Amino acid sequence: MMKAFKLGYANFSVKNVDAMVQYYTHVMGYAVVERGEDGRVYLSNHIDHHHIVLTPAQDSALHSVGLQVKAEDSLDKIAECLRREGFAAEYKTDAQPGVSEQIDVVDPSGTTVELYTDMALSGPGFQRAGILPSKLGHITIFAKDKDKTVGFYTQYLKFAITDRMEERVTFMTCNQDHHVLNFKVSDRTYMHHIAFELRDMIHMKNAHDLLTTEKIDIVWGPTRHTAGHNVASYHYDPEHFMIELFCDMDVFVPELGYFEPRPWHGDQPQKPKVWTAQEGLSRWETKFFMDLSKG
């Protein structure tokens, strides 16, 4: 029916909108594009109308995830098909700025996914100050019913499974990135982290210098991961959402069934595999005080 090809945006329920706006504009380098009458704030860091949405709320949580899709049929018909398959799906028009039509569907984990085919290219472009990520890279979610959730994304949105970490974590992609979404086994659903791609190691260095200047602690990293091989670090935003900054992620070539070769790969060619707990999370075997797997 359709194929996802891009992680478009993340919508967060937040208690302190002003603090989050300050973080995204002053630290991350995003620009406020629009403020809704409902208090929502839409932010962008390049041509799309928005990549981050901040929704005022009593509790902090991932509100929804926006995925851009290529659809073989009209979205209203696709929503009807999803309902027949047993999913809570609703077709909407003009529900948010920059998006004329969308499907809101609840995946088996309970996460709301907003599917759209087009977004207005009315963003402000890259700003001149802040970290300035190249793009929103991926989201990792602790998910109840993980296996059913993985099945939903493979069957209905044509995601591919790239790697697994035993049976606890499944990495999935809808494009050439090693992972766009990944899901961890849990008895409840919540976001583990959201990740932003940087250009290279120089960009990583400059980003960490800026975080230090802003007195934002780096809680894990930088180091090179095992699955995905991205160089990554983690910190918390004002709502205590975990933020990953990364570069150098593996590039998946589905026609070949393996990732573009890199000198630091342990396997040549590096194919999708099941990683063991003994291999850990750090290719560099860097030791950290925080257990990243527990968030």
Side-chain angles (χ1 to χ4, degrees):
M1 294 190 296
M2 59 186 164
K3 184 186 186 310
F5 62 89
K6 177 183 176 181
L7 174 58
Y9 60 87
N11 185 339
F12 292 108
S13 298
V14 299
K15 295 178 287 188
N16 190 333
V17 173
D18 291 341
M20 288 291 279
V21 169
Q22 172 73 4
Y23 167 80
Y24 271 101
T25 56
H26 188 68
V27 177
M28 295 297 288
Y30 280 62
V32 174
V33 175
E34 193 165 340
R35 293 178 183 266
E37 294 181 358
D38 57 359
R40 287 186 177 179
V41 181
Y42 299 83
L43 300 105
S44 173
N45 80 322
H46 53 74
I47 61 175
D48 291 344
H49 180 275
H50 56 271
H51 306 103
I52 297 293
V53 184
L54 304 174
T55 299
Q58 296 299 312
D59 297 302
S60 303
L62 177 64
H63 182 280
S64 56
V65 175
L67 293 176
Q68 194 164 6
V69 301
K70 181 178 181 180
E72 299 174 1
D73 209 337
S74 63
L75 292 186
D76 57 338
K77 289 184 179 179
I78 292 174
E80 183 179 340
C81 290
L82 287 170
R83 287 193 294 271
R84 286 201 299 267
E85 293 289 314
F87 297 102
E90 183 179 2
Y91 171 75
K92 295 180 177 180
T93 59
D94 299 317
Q96 59 178 314
V99 177
S100 59
E101 59 175 353
Q102 67 190 59
I103 299 171
D104 291 4
V105 58
V106 180
D107 74 17
S109 76
T111 302
T112 298
V113 186
E114 298 170 358
L115 309 171
Y116 63 97
T117 56
D118 297 290
M119 177 179 284
L121 301 181
S122 55
F126 290 99
Q127 302 300 292
R128 298 190 176 210
I131 290 175
L132 305 177
S134 297
K135 68 178 182 181
L136 173 58
H138 61 269
I139 297 176
T140 298
I141 296 174
F142 278 113
K144 62 182 180 182
D145 295 324
K146 180 187 78 73
D147 291 341
K148 289 182 180 179
T149 301
V150 169
F152 168 81
Y153 286 93
T154 54
Q155 181 176 352
Y156 297 101
L157 292 170
K158 308 306 178 187
F159 272 70
I161 296 172
T162 49
D163 279 334
R164 291 184 174 90
M165 298 199 78
E166 297 182 338
E167 294 304 314
R168 297 180 294 113
V169 186
T170 301
F171 297 84
M172 311 186 74
T173 189
C174 61
N175 50 45
Q176 68 177 8
D177 295 343
H178 176 273
H179 53 283
V180 173
L181 295 174
N182 50 313
F183 297 98
K184 295 172 175 274
V185 173
S186 179
D187 57 359
R188 66 184 182 93
T189 295
Y190 61 99
M191 188 183 77
H192 181 270
H193 71 267
I194 182 171
F196 297 88
E197 183 181 68
L198 306 188
R199 292 179 290 280
D200 51 30
M201 291 296 288
I202 298 299
H203 196 181
M204 288 285 287
K205 176 188 73 68
N206 292 338
H208 288 84
D209 285 341
L210 189 149
L211 289 174
T212 301
T213 299
E214 294 296 323
K215 295 182 171 50
I216 297 175
D217 293 336
I218 299 161
V219 298
W220 195 89
T223 190
R224 187 181 294 284
H225 276 308
T226 48
H229 293 97
N230 41 311
V231 176
S233 75
Y234 297 79
H235 67 273
Y236 289 108
D237 70 16
E239 296 275 319
H240 210 69
F241 296 123
M242 189 183 291
I243 308 295
E244 176 188 352
L245 304 176
F246 74 92
C247 67
D248 249 4
M249 179 175 279
D250 282 346
V251 176
F252 185 51
V253 185
E255 293 82 1
L256 297 175
Y258 57 80
F259 303 98
E260 288 186 355
R262 298 290 186 267
W264 47 82
H265 285 167
D267 302 327
Q268 296 288 350
Q270 186 75 52
K271 296 182 178 181
K273 60 181 276 188
V274 178
W275 296 79
T276 66
Q278 287 73 25
E279 290 171 293
L281 295 170
S282 175
R283 176 75 175 154
W284 293 344
E285 298 185 357
T286 313
K287 305 302 180 185
F288 298 102
F289 294 109
M290 175 188 174
D291 184 348
L292 182 66
S293 67
K294 295 181 179 178

